[in-house]
Amino acid sequence: MALHKRLRPLLHAGRVVRVDHPDPAVWAHGVVDHDTTRAVYAVARLATSVAQVPGAVRLPGLDPGRRYRVRPVADVPAPATIDRSAPTWLAAGVTLTGAALARVGVQVPALHPEQSLVLEVTAVD
């Protein structure tokens, strides 16, 4: 409930973005604040994939010239993963430009089917 209250202004007033991913079992979308200072993205694995590792997930809609801190949303249980160890950036987050996030993205853990990861993105000017 606290998470929803904290994100409610963004979720209700932000711009919805869809994320294309080559794996049809991976579904991702996000909401970006109109001033592009923050965003939240959800990445879900809907079913078992042909490939165990889903590959990088792009995060579109951000300002290409701005730097952003990406990290899993706090106070949410970690999703069940197939990985023996999660990508190292998940523990402390990672800072990348909006251009890098849109073109390359971030490597997410190999989620079990019907699991999701919520990422919070904040500008670090």
Side-chain angles (χ1 to χ4, degrees):
M1 185 66 92
L3 175 63
H4 182 265
K5 285 182 179 180
R6 184 168 62 80
L7 294 177
R8 182 174 26 213
L10 172 62
L11 296 174
H12 287 258
R15 183 173 35 90
V16 175
V17 294
R18 304 285 180 216
V19 179
D20 292 326
H21 195 275
D23 186 343
V26 174
W27 185 69
H29 67 285
V31 179
V32 179
D33 207 352
H34 288 284
D35 65 2
T36 68
T37 57
R38 63 190 194 128
V40 64
Y41 293 86
V43 180
R45 181 171 258 175
L46 304 176
T48 302
S49 297
V50 173
Q52 180 176 343
V53 179
V57 174
R58 296 180 309 107
L59 305 179
L62 302 167
D63 181 342
R66 194 175 234 169
R67 291 171 23 95
Y68 293 92
R69 182 86 172 148
V70 181
R71 63 182 144 219
V73 170
D75 302 326
V76 173
T81 65
I82 300 166
D83 295 333
R84 291 181 187 258
S85 62
T88 55
W89 72 267
L90 277 176
V94 66
T95 300
L96 296 166
T97 65
L101 291 168
R103 290 186 194 126
V104 179
V106 293
Q107 179 63 50
V108 295
L111 301 169
H112 277 291
E114 300 181 3
Q115 293 288 306
S116 65
L117 176 67
V118 181
L119 300 172
E120 195 162 9
V121 179
T122 311
V124 292
D125 296 324

